[in-house]
DNA sequence: CGCATTTGACCATA
DNA sequence: TATGGTCAAATGCG
């Protein structure tokens, strides 16, 4: 991580450039929205440029990572699956002796971490969250201070291929359409390589992912939370009044960039938040969740006026609605 | 029937 | 002690 200062600089430069473009684009789009189109051409041009820069940035990031030697060492014994010691059959219901004996993987911090933000078109549209890799949800939890629960995923091939990758997905408090995705660990499964390869070539997640060799992408990807279109009434107490206060940057267009140590998410729209600096991921928030253990999205869904399925459109028009976060200090990304 | 998701509980860290 | 992260049984869906 320390080495390759040159590439690092280049990378930062690239990213900064992208940011600039994003801002321009943001402005353009704002105008465009108000006037009803006309600058579309310019926007597209900008997007193209941005894509190029992003692509370069990704490559740089990759090379940096590669040279910096891969950190991340499997949390001991392969995933440090702690309690698993019991073989996963702790008799139904009895005390699950969670490995207290083994120090196991409490080292959550040890894993390389990188967070990105993914924007969806509609509350139900979570296709952007499909990074081309197959994830299996293993848990969900309400986070104190956060309006929405956090979902936990791990690579589907964790057991078959000992893939250590895992990620956490959570809606941001301010913008229901924005998801914070935090990746932990690196993908060691065949799928990772495939996904990476596809990405470098070009961005066509929709079609590419399905071709991942050793790994079959789970259909609609793992959703952060039960994003069901059917927003049945939910007497939930977690009022998600958030009126989409996206105080975040809305610069349409563009794709993804991630300095993720594993595989670059194929996500159509997402923004890099931190290349792994440290605490890039913070869920600051409003009201506590508490109470209802899940499905806060129901409210979101209901909030969303049009139940139209734009999910697919995201794949076809990845440059439709992506945001870029304000990267305060690019230099500190590493 | 098999797999993925849901959900409640346990455990470690801050 | 509180909170977050993970596990694993139960349930649902394909």
């Amino acid at each position: 991580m320390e080495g390759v200062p040159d590439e690092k600089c280049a990378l930062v430069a690239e990213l900064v450039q992208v940011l600039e473009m994003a801002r321009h684009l943001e402005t353009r789009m704002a105008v465009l929205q108000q006037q009803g189109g006309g600058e579309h051409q310019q926007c597209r041009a900008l997007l193209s440029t941005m894509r190029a820069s992003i692509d370069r940035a990704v490559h740089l990031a990759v090379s940096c990572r590669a040279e910096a030697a891969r950190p991340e060492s499997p949390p001991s014994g392969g995933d440090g699956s702690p309690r698993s010691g019991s073989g996963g059959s702790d008799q139904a219901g009895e005390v699950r002796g969670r490995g207290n004996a083994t120090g196991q993987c409490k080292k959550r911090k040890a894993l390389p971490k990188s967070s990105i933000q993914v924007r969806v078109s509609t509350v139900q549209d979570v296709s952007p969250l499909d990074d081309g890799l197959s994830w299996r949800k293993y848990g969900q939890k309400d986070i104190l201070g956060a309006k929405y629960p956090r979902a936990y995923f791990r690579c589907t091939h964790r057991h078959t291929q000992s893939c250590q990758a895992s990620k956490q997905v959570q809606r941001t408090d301010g913008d229901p359409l924005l998801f914070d995705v935090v990746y932990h660990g690196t993908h060691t499964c065949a799928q990772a390589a495939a996904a990476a390869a596809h990405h470098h070539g070009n961005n066509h997640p929709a079609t590419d992912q399905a071709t991942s060799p050793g790994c079959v992408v789970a259909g609609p990807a793992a959703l952060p939370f039960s994003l069901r279109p059917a927003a049945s009434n939910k007497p939930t107490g977690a009022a998600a009044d958030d009126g989409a206060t996206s105080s975040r940057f809305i610069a349409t267009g563009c794709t993804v960039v991630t300095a993720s140590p594993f595989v670059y998410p194929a996500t159509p729209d997402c923004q890099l938040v931190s290349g792994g600096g440290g605490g890039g991921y913070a869920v600051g928030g409003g009201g506590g969740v508490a109470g209802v253990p899940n499905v806060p999205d129901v409210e979101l869904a209901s909030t969303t006026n049009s139940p139209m399925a734009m999910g697919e459109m995201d794949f076809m028009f990845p440059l439709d609605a992506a945001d870029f976060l304000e990267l305060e200090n690019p230099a500190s990304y590493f």
Side-chain angles (χ1 to χ4, degrees):
Chain A
M1 298 247 223
E2 300 134 61
V4 290
D6 287 43
E7 293 190 344
K8 193 167 138 184
C9 289
L11 176 58
V12 173
E14 279 293 310
L15 292 174
V16 170
Q17 208 173 78
V18 173
L19 269 181
E20 275 307 306
M21 289 185 268
R23 289 194 172 152
H24 281 287
L25 194 54
E26 181 182 13
T27 308
R28 300 278 186 196
M29 287 311 255
V31 176
L32 200 156
Q33 281 198 324
Q34 292 179 14
Q35 302 185 344
E39 294 206 317
H40 211 66
Q41 301 276 337
Q42 291 181 51
C43 288
R44 290 190 77 88
L46 262 176
L47 286 173
S48 295
T49 311
M50 287 175 73
R51 268 177 173 269
S53 285
I54 291 172
D55 198 53
R56 280 195 293 276
V58 171
H59 277 75
L60 284 170
V62 175
S63 54
C64 281
R65 293 283 175 185
E67 292 184 37
R70 53 185 51 202
E72 140 96 25
S73 53
S76 73
D79 98 88
S81 170
R83 322 69 195 266
S84 59
S86 42
S89 57
D90 310 317
Q91 320 308 319
E94 265 305 327
V95 182
R96 303 161 188 176
R98 253 67 168 309
N100 51 354
T102 3
Q104 68 178 75
C105 64
K106 292 310 168 169
K107 316 275 185 179
R108 288 158 189 165
K109 296 178 177 178
L111 288 171
K113 166 181 163 185
S114 90
S115 50
I116 64 172
Q117 293 205 315
V118 181
R119 187 175 191 69
V120 299
S121 300
T122 67
V123 221
Q124 307 111 308
D125 172 29
V126 290
S127 39
L129 293 173
D130 181 359
D131 52 20
L133 298 169
S134 55
W135 298 96
R136 175 169 179 167
K137 187 176 183 178
Y138 66 86
Q140 178 170 308
K141 184 139 192 164
D142 286 324
I143 301 303
L144 197 71
K147 290 179 181 177
Y148 313 108
R150 177 179 300 168
Y152 300 89
F153 300 88
R154 7 190 62 136
C155 179
T156 303
H157 309 285
R158 182 195 179 197
H159 299 300
T160 58
Q161 295 179 42
S162 300
C163 186
Q164 300 304 308
S166 69
K167 74 172 179 180
Q168 300 175 357
V169 181
Q170 179 175 25
R171 275 186 197 279
T172 55
D173 296 344
D175 190 345
L177 298 181
L178 200 58
F179 287 89
D180 277 318
V181 183
V182 181
Y183 291 86
H184 290 274
T186 59
H187 265 287
T188 56
C189 61
Q191 157 185 59
H198 288 150
H199 275 297
H200 286 260
N202 54 14
N203 304 326
H204 285 330
T207 47
D208 290 334
Q209 30 183 277
T211 59
S212 303
C215 309
V216 180
V217 178
L223 308 185
F225 324 101
S226 314
L227 292 174
R228 302 166 191 164
S232 56
N233 52 336
K234 189 67 182 205
T236 304
D241 61 277
D242 57 275
T245 315
S246 35
S247 53
R248 313 219 175 216
F249 298 57
I250 300 172
T252 345
C254 256
T255 40
V256 179
V257 185
T258 43
S260 159
F262 357 78
V263 176
Y264 334 110
T267 314
D269 336 291
C270 68
Q271 35 202 182
L272 170 61
V273 173
S274 77
Y281 182 65
V283 186
V289 187
V292 188
N294 65 343
V295 201
D297 298 83
V298 171
E299 298 174 28
L300 291 174
S302 56
T303 304
T304 310
N305 7 33
S306 35
M308 54 195 281
M310 293 184 72
E312 297 181 8
M313 290 184 69
D314 267 317
F315 279 138
M316 301 175 75
F317 307 104
L319 306 182
D320 201 41
D323 298 350
F324 280 83
L325 265 195
E326 171 93 63
L327 298 178
E328 303 172 8
N329 183 9
S332 62
Y333 293 166
F334 293 87

